[in-house]
Amino acid sequence: MKILTISSLYPNNKDFKHGVFVETRLKHLRAEYPEIESTVIAPVPWFPFSAKCFGEYARFAGVKDVEEINGVTVYHPKYLVIPKLGMALTPIFMARAIEKCLQRIIKSGQRFDVIDGHYFYPDGVAIARVANKFKIPFTCTARGTDINLIPVIEKPKKMIQKVFKQAAHMMSVCKALKDEMVTLGADDSRVSVLRNGVDLDLFKPSNNQEQAEKRSKLVGDKKLIISVGWLIERKGHYLVIEAMKQLTDYHLFIAGDGPDKQKLSQLVKQLNLAENITFLGALPQAELSHYYQAADALVLASSREGWANVLLESMASGTPVVAADIWGTPEVVAAPEAGVLVKRTSDSIAAGIKQVLANKIDRTETRQYAEKFSWKETSDKQYDIFQQIIKQNK
């Protein structure tokens, strides 16, 4: 089976965490089915300047054209992004970049049975164009804002609905996203829920005593909570910071980087919480796992999530969670030992943190809950879908 994964959400030499969930799913699929041959096309925006003054865009200037990641060849064709006009034009520019890259790969002698696409807009729209030209069947996986946010704009919604009709099959990472896809016009029978799993070897648990010792080394006698994710408004870090006003004997670690770093730092100063909050920056998963092991709880205050990997990563480390009750999150936090769901307000978050600690959850039980979410079931379903598509196209 020869699979071509296409997604702008994929790690690269300048950003090891970007789209790591796509890379992780592919890694587990390949481990479960060694006969699979994989190639990845992960387009990135074209940007010529690497100076730090250009902010987030500067990192794109240093992305390699091709690299090897965990034994897979990854191509990074560059596509043009035009501010303000980008929403409508990006799928076209992305499709052209992917097409040229794929043309070169095919000329080198490679052939592909199926395209494994991720994120419906702009990626899915671009992938549909390319797949049609090269006569390769494709799937597309919904991952969050591509379905629960972008379709509020009419033109992208119509493009996404066209992809629904063109795809050989579709996937979503949670049932909430599938339900929304069906509402938008997708055929229910052609959408499968393939939830993300968790790497149970990478995220190892600490028991209650080990956690207390690790926490003490980091923050002394205080309770420790952690908030993980890109530093943007949608992730809700500011709500967790505001909640800290009610949690005087706690310390908050914020793991992640992003455009709101300065704004969040200013909020910490305004609330006089500098001694109670630490920004860790972006961390590799292996390092992040140590913080999970030390934390009393993870807090996720996002306004929109498909299937938040950080929830399962925390649980696999034995750490219960406090999460905003939105979209696919109730499908992840579905038992007392997993943690609690709260409203997306600072008051509710503070109350949820106090509640989850008052519950005195056995960390071993939290880990056991996470073990239900291994990658095997997802890999098996994905393989079966690809196999059926290939048979139908022979």
Side-chain angles (χ1 to χ4, degrees):
M1 186 182 291
K2 299 179 180 179
I3 295 174
L4 174 63
T5 295
I6 303 179
S7 178
S8 62
L9 298 170
Y10 208 87
N12 58 61
N13 61 293
K14 300 298 289 185
D15 191 346
F16 58 86
K17 288 183 68 66
H18 183 66
V20 69
F21 40 85
V22 175
E23 194 248 349
T24 299
R25 191 174 90 169
L26 179 61
K27 179 179 70 175
H28 285 276
L29 176 67
R30 293 173 59 240
E32 199 68 36
Y33 296 96
E35 69 270 27
I36 288 176
E37 297 178 19
S38 296
T39 301
V40 174
I41 296 179
V44 298
W46 175 82
F47 194 79
F49 308 112
S50 58
K52 290 184 178 180
C53 63
F54 291 103
E56 293 292 310
Y57 281 96
R59 72 180 190 273
F60 296 127
V63 176
K64 296 179 180 178
D65 291 334
V66 60
E67 60 182 324
E68 189 103 345
I69 301 178
N70 291 325
V72 176
T73 301
V74 182
Y75 296 89
H76 296 295
K78 310 304 188 295
Y79 65 94
L80 187 62
V81 174
I82 302 177
K84 296 185 179 180
L85 298 176
M87 195 69 176
L89 297 178
T90 296
I92 298 172
F93 293 133
M94 183 181 285
R96 288 177 180 173
I98 295 170
E99 180 184 325
K100 290 178 181 179
C101 180
L102 181 53
Q103 186 73 63
R104 290 194 299 270
I105 295 171
I106 290 174
K107 279 186 177 180
S108 73
Q110 287 185 259
R111 294 292 182 270
F112 300 102
D113 298 312
V114 64
I115 293 173
D116 165 36
H118 295 259
Y119 209 70
F120 273 84
Y121 192 93
D123 303 43
V125 178
I127 291 165
R129 289 171 178 250
V130 173
N132 180 60
K133 176 163 186 174
F134 289 92
K135 307 301 180 188
I136 306 172
F138 77 95
T139 66
C140 195
T141 297
R143 293 198 161 273
T145 53
D146 53 337
I147 297 299
N148 63 29
L149 180 60
I150 291 174
V152 301
I153 305 170
E154 190 63 25
K155 191 168 184 178
K157 181 176 80 171
K158 289 181 178 179
M159 292 183 185
I160 291 169
Q161 289 170 328
K162 190 175 180 181
V163 178
F164 288 167
K165 296 177 181 178
Q166 296 171 310
H169 198 80
M170 294 162 284
M171 303 141 184
S172 67
V173 294
C174 66
K175 186 177 182 298
L177 284 177
K178 175 181 177 176
D179 291 344
E180 185 64 15
M181 290 170 69
V182 172
T183 299
L184 289 168
D187 181 347
D188 183 283
S189 66
R190 295 176 53 243
V191 185
S192 298
V193 177
L194 267 67
R195 55 160 181 74
N196 287 340
V198 61
D199 191 328
L200 297 170
D201 293 322
L202 176 58
F203 296 98
K204 296 182 181 297
S206 59
N207 60 36
N208 291 58
Q209 182 178 345
E210 291 170 338
Q211 181 265 329
E213 292 172 355
K214 290 175 180 288
R215 179 191 62 199
S216 178
K217 291 179 181 178
L218 291 172
V219 295
D221 295 332
K222 292 182 178 180
K223 300 295 184 183
L224 175 60
I225 55 178
I226 185 169
S227 182
V228 179
W230 202 28
L231 304 186
I232 55 174
E233 191 280 336
R234 179 166 48 86
K235 290 296 182 179
H237 296 289
Y238 70 96
L239 291 170
V240 189
I241 291 171
E242 290 172 357
M244 287 294 291
K245 289 292 289 184
Q246 304 177 44
L247 302 166
T248 54
D249 56 343
Y250 288 71
H251 195 97
L252 169 64
F253 281 167
I254 298 177
D257 205 349
D260 283 2
K261 172 67 182 297
Q262 185 175 355
K263 189 184 298 184
L264 291 171
S265 298
Q266 289 174 346
L267 178 60
V268 170
K269 291 179 182 178
Q270 289 170 7
L271 298 176
N272 296 314
L273 292 171
E275 294 184 0
N276 298 83
I277 297 175
T278 302
F279 289 91
L280 300 174
L283 300 176
Q285 288 186 306
E287 188 175 348
L288 187 58
S289 68
H290 296 302
Y291 287 100
Y292 285 140
Q293 290 177 340
D296 292 284
L298 167 97
V299 184
L300 182 68
S302 298
S303 60
R304 296 176 185 272
E305 288 286 353
W307 184 277
N309 296 330
V310 295
L311 295 174
L312 284 178
E313 292 169 1
S314 178
M315 295 174 195
S317 306
T319 303
V321 304
V322 177
D325 189 359
I326 47 92
W327 287 95
T329 299
E331 298 174 42
V332 189
V333 188
E337 60 270 27
V340 299
L341 296 169
V342 297
K343 293 180 181 179
R344 194 173 180 262
T345 67
S346 56
D347 287 344
S348 294
I349 290 168
I353 292 170
K354 292 176 182 177
Q355 179 186 336
V356 84
L357 266 73
N359 290 345
K360 295 183 178 179
I361 300 169
D362 189 318
R363 295 177 68 89
T364 301
E365 293 181 5
T366 303
R367 164 68 182 201
Q368 289 173 347
Y369 175 85
E371 288 174 354
K372 300 175 184 177
F373 298 90
S374 72
W375 276 101
K376 184 175 179 2
E377 180 183 348
T378 297
S379 296
D380 289 345
K381 285 184 178 179
Q382 190 181 9
Y383 184 83
D384 288 344
I385 289 168
F386 288 156
Q387 199 170 47
Q388 290 172 23
I389 291 171
I390 293 168
K391 286 180 179 179
Q392 291 168 3
N393 282 269
K394 280 187 176 179

